[in-house]
């Protein structure tokens, strides 16, 4: 049995002949055209609008994880790494100590050799004009009984050498440290100094007197300064030309 379709007149006019208001179309819905027979040619399908924007997305829920203590393997590995680090540091310190000690000894020997060289050069280099002050100039390199012995020796030869107009020049050819004691905190040392000495005088017609001498010096440390406390001659060669 066919459904009864409404009369077109019922959709367009009321009972008093007025025109019926048009039905409101829901927002977003398309109006359905009506055919001549009053049938609908299509169904009105409202399109649902999105009620949430992209920026309103809810953040992911934060999940809290319970704290777990470090395992025995991790603790053991950390302890082993600590022991290895301490051992490496100790090994590096043990290896560096001999190097530092040796370097300090080299510097000490260099200071001793330099001091011995300066002392011998000063003690045996003079002219007739500065002979009077030679003992004073040399005193800063000497100490103990040797300082007094050297002063007495110079005082004895000042006048003869000034009268003979003697000029003596000593050149150090080499110096070496023979011993240092004690090794940790050196306070005493011996050094050997090799020299060429040239003396001239009008008495000998300025013919140079050539001598090759080597000395052994004993030095003691006073504070940061090394002082000569004893001196002895090791070799002495007279190379003066015989005319």
């Amino acid at each position: 049995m066919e459904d009864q379709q409404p009369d077109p007149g019922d959709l367009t006019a009321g009972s008093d002949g007025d025109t019926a208001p048009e039905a409101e179309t829901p927002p977003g819905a398309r109006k359905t055209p009506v055919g001549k027979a009053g049938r609908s040619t299509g169904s009105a399908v409202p399109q649902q609008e999105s009620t949430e924007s992209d920026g309103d997305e809810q953040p992911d829920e934060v999940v809290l994880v319970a704290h777990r203590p470090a395992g025995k393997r991790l603790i053991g590995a950390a302890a082993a790494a600590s022991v290895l680090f301490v051992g490496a540091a100790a090994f590096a310190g043990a290896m560096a100590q001999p190097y530092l000690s040796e370097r300090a000894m080299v510097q000490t020997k260099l200071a001793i050799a330099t001091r011995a060289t300066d002392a011998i050069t000063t003690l045996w280099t003079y002219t007739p004009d500065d002979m009077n002050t030679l003992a004073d100039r040399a005193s800063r390199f000497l100490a103990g009984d040797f300082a007094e012995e050297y002063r007495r020796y110079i005082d004895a030869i000042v006048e003869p050498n000034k009268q003979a107009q003697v000029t003596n020049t000593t050149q150090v050819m080499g110096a070496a440290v023979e011993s240092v004691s004690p090794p940790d905190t050196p306070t005493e040392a011996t050094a050997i100094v090799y020299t060429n000495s040239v003396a001239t005088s009008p008495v000998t017609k300025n013919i140079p007197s050539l001598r090759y001498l080597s000395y052994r010096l004993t030095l003691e440390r006073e504070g940061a300064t090394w002082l000569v406390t004893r001196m002895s001659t090791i070799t002495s060669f007279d190379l003066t030309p015989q005319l």
Side-chain angles (χ1 to χ4, degrees), residues 58-137:
Q58 297 296 325
D60 296 337
E61 183 179 359
V62 178
V63 179
L64 301 178
V65 179
H67 171 70
R68 292 186 301 174
K72 292 183 178 180
R73 291 184 178 180
L74 183 59
I75 295 175
S82 301
V83 171
L84 182 61
F85 176 78
V86 173
F91 176 76
M95 294 299 293
Q97 185 62 33
Y99 168 77
L100 295 176
S101 299
E102 182 178 356
R103 184 169 182 178
M105 180 57 69
V106 169
Q107 295 298 322
T108 299
K109 289 183 176 180
L110 181 60
I112 294 170
T114 301
R115 189 68 172 176
T117 298
D118 294 342
I120 290 296
T121 301
T122 302
L123 265 60
W124 304 119
T125 299
Y126 51 85
T127 67
D129 296 332
D130 62 11
M131 190 73 181
N132 289 331
T133 60
L134 177 58
D136 294 333
R137 295 199 310 272

Side-chain angles (χ1 to χ4, degrees), residues 5-87:
Q5 298 292 334
D7 189 278
D10 295 337
L11 297 175
T12 57
S15 57
D16 55 357
D18 296 332
T19 304
E22 185 178 0
E24 293 182 357
T25 303
R30 293 178 298 178
K31 293 183 179 181
T32 303
V34 179
K36 293 181 180 181
R39 293 179 179 270
S40 163
T41 59
S43 60
V45 181
Q47 294 184 358
Q48 183 178 1
E49 290 183 353
S50 175
T51 59
E52 294 179 359
S53 62
D54 294 342
D56 296 335
E57 294 182 359
Q58 297 296 325
D60 296 337
E61 183 179 359
V62 178
V63 179
L64 301 178
V65 179
H67 171 70
R68 292 186 301 174
K72 292 183 178 180
R73 291 184 178 180
L74 183 59
I75 295 175
S82 301
V83 171
L84 182 61
F85 176 78
V86 173

